[in-house]
Amino acid sequence: MTHRDAKILFVQPDCSRIEEVTEQLMREGFEVTMLGHPGQALCQMYADPPDLVILGENLPALEGEAILRMIRAEPVFRQLPIILLLPPDADERVEMWAELQLSDFIAPPVSPREVCIRSRLCLLRSRLDLDANPLTRLPGNNTILKEIQRRLDTDSSFALAYLDIDSFKAFNDRYGFARGDDALRMTARIVLNAVVNLGPGSGFVGHVGGDDFILLLPIKQIELACEEIIANFDLIAPSLYDETDRRQGFLLLKDRQGRLCRFPLMALSIAVIPSEDRGFDHVGQLIARAAELKAAAKAEPGSVYLIDRRLRLDNALPDDQDASANFSAPSAILS
């Protein structure tokens, strides 16, 4: 991605004050979205994830700090580059900016040319440092592993969900990479929306690569998230197929031996591993168990999530009660 493909979210209550800046950014190929209501910044970022955020010069100091804290509190946006345009009477609070990982700031008078240069430099540093997936812009493998290990090291109680799209390769072979990318972006948005709908908290979404995604949530929220993800995926995924294929309910393609085979429409397989009381010390142990459970989930027809039963999600469940009764279809619990 070059800077000409980059999306900038410009948070500025009075947009008329920075018209020259935004015009210069757009002339240089940036895609700029103006937001006049700072309180809506996070909603806008989830709806259309930017590559860079610029906080405008006429934001009150405390409001700018509140936006910074709000963005950095969301694991998905912790590494997003942010530039602050200082108002003329700004008190340069360097310690606070360092704490909130502000990427850069520009002192007045603000020059449109300087904003463009610093934006390009921030994006360059971000691409060098961040392993975000270029298609979905979700955190990639390195960030995922660090986030899981961080939670293990701090004894956080959480559940890991490992998501995989069944029959994605068949869809990709039938319709091509462009439509395959649409399916991946759709899945990323569905997973991210499920986390957003649960409200602010400790949710994390990462894109391992290909059709594999990772979701981290508090244990008590994971089942609700899985149900919402599957419901929305099963609702939207069929619309990605041509009408003939959608109506017949499968794709007819040749396998590697040249034989015609039926491939069902795409579905989701989700393996859920609670971290609590499981003796996981290293991220590799958690991922390995999730991979085992995901293989079992893929053996089930349709979209399904399987939960490792070695830790009950409801600690109040009586010992003599069948654990599977505590969960509704399409979930399952494996021993």
Side-chain angles (χ1 to χ4, degrees):
M1 180 185 71
T2 67
H3 78 269
R4 293 186 178 276
D5 302 311
K7 294 182 178 181
I8 295 178
L9 177 63
F10 210 129
V11 183
Q12 173 81 0
D14 182 3
C15 299
S16 63
R17 295 184 59 175
I18 41 84
E19 284 183 358
E20 291 185 13
V21 173
T22 56
E23 289 174 359
Q24 181 68 33
L25 286 167
M26 288 187 287
R27 277 197 298 270
E28 297 204 12
F30 292 100
E31 181 181 333
V32 181
T33 298
M34 297 300 304
L35 185 64
H37 301 285
Q40 299 176 0
L42 204 57
C43 291
Q44 175 63 35
M45 291 167 65
Y46 273 116
D48 188 15
D51 300 293
L52 170 70
V53 173
I54 299 178
L55 300 180
E57 60 183 355
N58 66 336
L59 279 172
L62 291 178
E63 191 168 10
E65 181 177 341
I67 295 174
L68 276 167
R69 291 189 181 280
M70 180 175 62
I71 294 173
R72 293 307 186 211
E74 293 295 320
V76 172
F77 299 125
R78 279 181 186 161
Q79 293 173 291
L80 184 73
I82 303 174
I83 297 175
L84 177 64
L85 305 186
L86 298 181
D89 57 348
D91 176 17
E92 297 183 7
R93 302 172 64 190
V94 177
E95 291 184 3
M96 183 273 290
W97 297 338
E99 174 194 342
L100 297 175
Q101 302 173 36
L102 185 69
S103 306
D104 204 349
F105 68 90
I106 301 176
V110 174
S111 158
R113 184 65 180 156
E114 183 179 5
V115 173
C116 291
I117 292 172
R118 289 181 181 265
S119 295
R120 288 200 299 270
L121 289 173
C122 277
L123 289 166
L124 176 61
R125 289 196 298 269
S126 176
R127 286 194 291 273
L128 291 174
D129 297 339
L130 179 62
D131 69 323
N133 186 281
L135 178 66
T136 61
R137 296 185 180 136
L138 293 175
N141 286 336
N142 290 337
T143 305
I144 291 170
L145 295 176
K146 289 177 182 177
E147 180 63 22
I148 296 172
Q149 190 63 54
R150 182 189 69 80
R151 294 179 185 227
L152 290 174
D153 291 342
T154 56
D155 293 324
S156 298
S157 176
F158 69 97
L160 177 149
Y162 195 160
L163 295 82
D164 181 274
I165 306 176
D166 301 335
S167 297
F168 175 75
K169 183 180 183 304
F171 180 89
N172 218 32
D173 291 345
R174 170 71 174 84
Y175 295 115
F177 291 112
R179 288 173 67 171
D181 287 350
D182 288 340
L184 294 176
R185 280 189 288 263
M186 176 208 71
T187 305
R189 182 62 56 85
I190 287 172
V191 177
L192 196 55
N193 284 346
V195 174
V196 173
N197 291 341
L198 291 171
S202 55
F204 175 89
V205 180
H207 189 172
V208 177
D211 58 332
D212 289 352
F213 297 84
I214 290 288
L215 170 63
L216 306 177
L217 275 174
I219 290 175
K220 295 297 184 182
Q221 294 181 327
I222 196 69
E223 187 182 7
L224 182 62
C226 288
E227 289 177 351
E228 179 178 337
I229 290 167
I230 284 178
N232 289 329
F233 184 91
D234 287 349
L235 179 67
I236 299 173
S239 67
L240 300 178
Y241 289 82
D242 289 350
E243 185 177 356
T244 301
D245 293 332
R246 183 169 61 250
R247 270 196 273 176
Q248 70 183 10
F250 60 85
L251 296 178
L252 195 60
L253 299 172
K254 290 183 178 181
D255 63 13
R256 293 180 179 177
Q257 286 73 42
R259 299 170 300 190
L260 280 176
C261 295
R262 289 187 177 188
F263 293 88
L265 302 188
M266 288 185 292
L268 275 185
S269 291
I270 307 176
V272 179
I273 309 294
S275 67
E276 211 171 58
D277 299 332
R278 293 297 311 277
F280 293 121
D281 298 317
H282 187 270
V283 58
Q285 298 170 316
L286 193 58
I287 293 293
R289 176 57 185 158
E292 292 175 5
L293 197 60
K294 190 185 72 165
K298 291 182 75 67
E300 300 287 332
S303 293
V304 63
Y305 64 96
L306 304 184
I307 302 176
D308 193 331
R309 70 172 296 178
R310 281 182 252 186
L311 173 73
R312 288 175 176 164
L313 303 193
D314 183 356
N315 293 326
L317 191 65
D319 289 340
D320 59 352
Q321 181 178 341
D322 181 4
S324 62
N326 197 42
F327 302 93
S328 58
S331 68
I333 304 182
L334 295 190
S335 57

